[in-house]
Amino acid sequence: MAVSREVDVLFEVRNAFFIGDYQHCITEAQKIKPPSAATAVERDVLMYRAYLAQHKFSVVLNEVTSSSPSEVKAVRLLAEYLNKAQDRQKVLSQIEQILNSGVDASNDTFILMSSSVYLLEENFDSALRSLNQSDSLEGAAMRVQILLSMNRIDLARKELKTMQEKDDDATLTQLSQAWFNLAVGGEKYQEAFYIFQEMADKTNATPLLLNGQAVSLIHQEKYEEAEETLQEALAKDSNNPETLLNLIVVSQHLNKPPEVSTRYLAQLKDGHSDHVFVKQYNLKESEFDRLAEQYAK
C-alpha cells in the first residue's frame, strides 16, 4: 500500500523567496488556498517578507495588526525597524524584552526576524545568540552567512555539513554551499558559479543569483563576463544595491571612464543610505575631509 504524503503547497512560494524572486513569491502566495491554519500563517509570513524585500513597508504596517498571529507580527517588527530610522532603538528594545522573557522556540519567525535586525545592526554575536534557538534550515543558513562574515570558515563548514545531512538538495543548502565556496576561494569559485548558474537555469535568473555568478567571475578575473551578467541583473532591478556595488568593482577593473563608477556610486548612495558599504564609504569620506582640512591650515 502506497504511503500518502501531504503536498507542500508552499514549495514554490518558499523557493521563490529564497532565490530573491519576490514578486513571484507574492503572486503565488495570493493564489494559494491554505489547507490549514499553520499553512496560512507561513504563507502570510513569506508574502509579507517578500514585500519587505521590495521596500514596500507600508503594506506590512497597514495589514498586520495586534490581532495577527505572533509569527506575522514578528515580520511587522522588522518592517518597523526598516521603515523609520528613529524607531530602530524602540524595536531593538522590544526584541530584547521578548528574548529576555523567553521566546517560544516554536516561533521560528521571531527568531529569524530578530536575528535579521541584529544583522542590520552588524551585531553578529546577538544574531547568533538568537539563532541558536532555531533548528530550521533557514536558521542554519543564516548562521552560515554570519559565520562567514566573521571569517569563521571552520564553524561555517560544520553548520553547512549539518544542513547537508538534513536536506542536501534544498535551495537554502545549495545557496549556503555556494556562499561557502566563495569564502574558501581557489577552485571553489568556479564551483560556486555553477551552483548559482544551475539554480538560475532551473528557476529564474534573479538579481540575487546573477550577483552570485558575477562575484564568482570577478574572483576569477573574468571581468567582461561579470559585467555582462551584472547588466542582466541591472535590467531586472535597476536599483539593486549589490548589483550597483559589483558594477563599481567591475568598472574599476575594466578601466572604464571615472564617471561610470561615479554614477553607480551616486545611485547606490542615493537609494541605499543604510547599506553597510555606503555607511563605511561616507565615514571614510568624512574622515578624509577632516584630515584634508586639518593639513590645509
Side-chain angles (χ1 to χ4, degrees), residues 32-94:
I32 288 174
K33 295 180 180 179
S36 66
T39 303
V41 169
E42 186 181 357
R43 175 203 60 188
D44 290 348
V45 165
L46 290 165
M47 180 180 69
Y48 286 131
R49 289 177 70 186
Y51 275 120
L52 292 188
Q54 294 182 330
H55 297 270
K56 297 176 181 176
F57 310 134
S58 60
V59 174
V60 181
L61 295 173
N62 291 335
E63 295 186 13
V64 180
T65 66
S66 58
S67 61
S68 297
S70 58
E71 294 88 349
V72 180
K73 285 192 286 188
V75 182
R76 182 187 169 92
L77 267 180
L78 180 57
E80 290 174 357
Y81 177 90
L82 294 169
N83 188 48
K84 290 182 180 179
Q86 59 266 36
D87 289 343
R88 289 176 184 171
Q89 192 55 51
K90 174 186 170 185
V91 172
L92 282 166
S93 298
Q94 285 181 265

Side-chain angles (χ1 to χ4, degrees), residues 225-238:
E225 292 179 49
E227 183 186 33
E228 184 179 340
T229 303
L230 290 168
Q231 289 297 338
E232 183 181 349
L234 194 67
K236 291 174 179 286
D237 181 358
S238 62

Side-chain angles (χ1 to χ4, degrees), residues 101-115:
S101 63
V103 63
D104 183 356
S106 65
N107 189 352
D108 196 62
T109 304
F110 175 80
I111 296 170
L112 295 172
M113 296 303 98
S114 61
S115 300

Side-chain angles (χ1 to χ4, degrees), residues 249-263:
V249 174
V250 168
S251 298
Q252 296 285 336
H253 281 293
L254 291 175
N255 295 316
K256 298 274 185 178
E259 59 267 21
V260 174
S261 57
T262 301
R263 196 175 300 126

